[in-house]
Amino acid sequence: MVTNPYETLGIKEGASPDEIKAAYRELVKKYHPDRYQNNPLADLAAEKMRDINEAYDMLTKNQGSAGSGSGSYGGSYSGGGQAKGSPEFQAIRRDIDTNNLAGAEQKLNNIPVKNAEWIFLSGMISYKRGWYDDARGKIQQACNMAPNDMEYRQALNALNSAGTGYRNMAYGQGYNSNEDALCQACQCAMCLDCLTPGGCC
């Protein structure tokens, strides 16, 4: 439980939104889960990340800095643009589900702020087009921006473990979940989103 968010982020009280954002980013880099895989300090780092995200949320909500385009890099990442699960992003996900990639890309380009959800969906479009390296890079970027988002993390893990041997990308609904691990990961992510209050793919 964070009692002093300034102290948690290592900044002085009354720090500007830019100072808060800069401190937050540095701490996320330092305690990112990827740095502590197979490390005895992994649990401690995860706890620290929870405190960092909580402190950042407290300060940005109080100061209104999230609306300035800084956004949270945790599971509640908004990036100052459309929030995850917004009608705009839901429409893009439906287009991806139905292989309307041109429509999905057009809608995506109409959203000016490129937050974690924007980057992730751009990566999913690239995957469906068979651009595996581009997809992996974008999904990795989404994970870096929102390290606590399980959907992004599961998709990246499945993509990394599967390599580039997939011929088909079946993202979302309407696929055979036994075809490949990435599809199964996306299905799990959808279930998690639907179980989360206010979230649905």
Side-chain angles (χ1 to χ4, degrees):
M1 178 75 178
V2 174
T3 56
N4 186 334
Y6 292 101
E7 183 178 327
T8 300
L9 296 182
I11 54 179
K12 63 184 179 182
E13 291 196 23
S16 70
D18 285 342
E19 290 172 326
I20 294 170
K21 179 173 67 173
Y24 178 77
R25 285 179 170 173
E26 286 303 312
L27 289 171
V28 167
K29 290 177 185 176
K30 183 177 181 180
Y31 294 103
H32 195 283
D34 285 349
R35 294 173 61 96
Y36 292 89
Q37 290 183 359
N38 301 319
N39 188 308
L41 298 176
D43 290 341
L44 185 62
E47 183 179 347
K48 186 71 173 174
M49 273 298 303
R50 285 193 293 270
D51 289 345
I52 292 167
N53 283 320
E54 182 181 346
Y56 185 78
D57 285 342
M58 289 169 67
L59 292 179
T60 55
K61 287 175 183 176
N62 289 339
Q63 296 187 5
S65 60
S68 66
S70 59
S72 167
Y73 286 76
S76 59
Y77 180 88
S78 65
Q82 301 297 335
K84 182 174 182 179
S86 69
E88 291 80 6
F89 282 139
Q90 287 181 19
I92 293 167
R93 285 172 178 265
R94 283 193 294 271
D95 282 344
I96 295 173
D97 290 344
T98 58
N99 288 314
N100 180 13
L101 303 184
E105 189 169 49
Q106 183 176 7
K107 290 182 178 71
L108 202 59
N109 288 334
N110 287 333
I111 299 176
V113 179
K114 295 175 175 58
N115 60 13
E117 177 75 348
W118 195 102
I119 299 294
F120 175 73
L121 292 178
S122 179
M124 300 308 286
I125 292 171
S126 293
Y127 192 97
K128 276 214 154 185
R129 287 176 169 162
W131 303 343
Y132 302 116
D133 289 340
D134 185 66
R136 183 179 291 103
K138 288 177 177 175
I139 295 172
Q140 175 67 69
Q141 185 179 350
C143 288
N144 292 342
M145 295 170 76
N148 294 332
D149 190 295
M150 289 192 65
E151 178 187 20
Y152 306 161
R153 180 66 50 192
Q154 287 177 343
L156 180 64
N157 289 343
L159 185 57
N160 285 336
S161 65
T164 59
Y166 294 123
R167 293 185 299 273
N168 298 308
M169 171 59 197
Y171 172 76
Q173 301 174 358
Y175 59 79
N176 181 349
S177 61
N178 292 323
E179 288 179 0
D180 59 53
L182 183 58
C183 294
Q184 293 171 12
C186 290
Q187 184 181 39
C188 291
M190 285 183 58
C191 293
L192 286 171
D193 275 353
C194 291
L195 290 174
T196 303
C200 186
C201 294

